[in-house]
């Protein structure tokens, strides 16, 4: 994308390859602060605390984390390096369970490791693979943007949930990529960003990055999605995803399925933007997707000066939900737009791995 729009990059390697620079997303929108991570432990911590978040960005960070785990040590033999590799792979793979990009990236790193014969070349190969994963994600997001833009009309009102923007990926985002592309081409979209309780990715991140880029964005509470739809302000819903099952059921940020149900009620197309790295054909249906549960304090007190719930109240804080494939108008991938029989079409779009 030859863009004139200021697009933020949230994860990259330092020039000397000794660390990974991340934009700390927990501090946005108040502070735009970058942090350099130089160990797998620091990467793990950044993922689990959502300094790096969004399915593709998590995968990229984990790939760099594996490289950082092996670039400092010297191994006498490839088997010794393999033991270290497997340890760091398992460790980073235990950070968050739902976004399949994490596991996809770790598998790719393993395949690359297994192609290395000379132990002295392991670190270089892992660095190269992690870089390729990041660069590929840029191209993938751009292609998603091109395909998704074909589904939209100038002036459309677009509702989005959570943050599937540039900071959740290598660049451009998935659900927000067509919005950036459209902005450049004078589409003048009117974006409505759900605040996305409880961690406010919509308010803190989507509203921030779109405002920075000069896109017309209006922040609403999650509970307001129905009224903006009923008022005719929304012509399409665009969301990202963390894992797409073989039948098209899709896990994304908690609250996404409610938006899909509303969109169906109001006859508004509901599009999921999904890099093929997010499609998990090994999961037959959404019921096979593990849903992360997070700490109670995210609901009870995190954003408040005083706790907003009685002490010790029972809580339930699933971070994602599954939108049934039959509520999804189309899934937009880098390889094209998939509709109808997801079970058949997703296989075609994923191709050989
Ligand atoms: O918990 P998060 O903030 O990592 O959840 C992120 C989402 O649910 C995004 O919508 C998804 O990862 C797609 S990012 C292109």
């Amino acid at each position: 994308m030859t863009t004139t729009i200021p697009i933020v990059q949230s994860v990259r390697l330092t020039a000397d390859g000794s660390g990974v620079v991340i934009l700390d997303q927990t501090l946005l929108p108040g502070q735009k602060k970058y942090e350099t991570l130089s160990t797998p432990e620091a990467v793990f911590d950044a993922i689990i605390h959502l300094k790096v978040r969004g399915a593709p960005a998590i995968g990229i960070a984990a790939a760099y984390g594996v490289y950082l785990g092996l670039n400092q040590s010297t191994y006498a033999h490839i088997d010794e390096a393999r033991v270290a590799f497997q340890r760091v792979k398992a460790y980073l793979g235990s950070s968050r369970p739902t976004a399949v990009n994490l596991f996809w990236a770790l598998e790719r790193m393993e395949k690359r490791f297994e192609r290395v014969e000379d132990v002295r070349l392991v670190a270089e190969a892992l660095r190269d693979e992690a870089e390729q994963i990041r660069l590929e994600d840029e191209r993938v997001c751009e292609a998603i943007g091109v395909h998704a833009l074909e589904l939209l009309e100038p002036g459309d009102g677009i509702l989005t949930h959570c943050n599937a923007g540039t900071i959740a990926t290598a660049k451009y985002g998935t659900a927000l990529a067509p919005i950036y592309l459209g902005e450049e081409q004078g589409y003048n979209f009117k974006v409505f960003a759900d605040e996305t309780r409880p961690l406010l990715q919509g308010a803190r991140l989507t509203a921030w990055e779109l405002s920075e880029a000069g896109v017309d964005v209006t922040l609403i509470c999650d509970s307001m999605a129905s009224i903006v739809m009923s008022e005719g302000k929304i012509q399409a819903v665009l969301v990202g995803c963390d894992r797409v099952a073989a039948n098209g059921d899709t896990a994304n940020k908690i609250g996404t399925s409610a938006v899909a149900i509303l969109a169906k009620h109001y006859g508004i197309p509901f599009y999921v933007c999904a890099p093929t790295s997010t499609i998990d054909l090994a999961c037959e249906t959404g019921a096979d997707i593990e849903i992360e549960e997070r700490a109670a304090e995210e609901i009870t007190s995190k954003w408040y000066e005083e706790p907003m719930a009685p002490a010790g109240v029972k809580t339930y804080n699933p971070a994602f939900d599954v939108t049934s494939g039959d509520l999804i108008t189309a899934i937009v991938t880098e390889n094209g737009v998939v509709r109808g029989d997801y079970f058949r079409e997703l296989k075609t779009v994923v191709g050989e791995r």
Side-chain angles (χ1 to χ4, degrees), residues 192-246:
F192 288 79
D194 279 350
E195 66 175 348
T196 317
R197 280 277 293 155
L199 292 179
L200 308 182
Q201 287 92 335
R204 295 188 305 105
L205 309 176
T206 298
W208 172 77
E209 70 163 78
L210 291 179
S211 301
E212 289 278 294
V215 175
D216 180 337
V217 57
T218 303
L219 175 63
I220 59 170
C221 299
D222 299 336
S223 49
M224 298 167 190
S226 178
I227 193 168
V228 293
M229 288 184 185
S230 75
E231 289 170 347
K233 292 182 171 136
I234 307 298
Q235 281 66 53
V237 177
L238 287 177
V239 294
C241 59
D242 290 83
R243 196 183 295 228
V244 181

Side-chain angles (χ1 to χ4, degrees), residues 75-87:
Y75 302 99
H77 193 271
I78 195 80
D79 291 338
E80 207 184 307
R82 183 174 291 110
V83 170
F85 179 92
Q86 289 300 342
R87 196 181 308 119

Side-chain angles (χ1 to χ4, degrees), residues 25 47 50 52-58 96 99 101 137 141 160-169 173-176 196 199 201 204-205 239-243 251-254 256 273-275 278 292 294 319-320:
Q25 298 190 37
I47 292 174
L50 313 189
V52 179
R53 51 145 298 284
I58 292 171
R96 294 188 77 189
N101 304 61
D137 191 57
C141 288
T160 190
H161 191 77
C162 192
N163 173 267
T166 185
I167 57 177
T169 63
T174 56
L176 299 193
T196 317
L199 292 179
Q201 287 92 335
R204 295 188 305 105
L205 309 176
V239 294
C241 59
D242 290 83
R243 196 183 295 228
N252 190 48
K253 180 51 54 194
I254 192 73
T256 303
C273 295
T278 311
E292 177 182 13
R294 296 186 61 89
F320 301 93

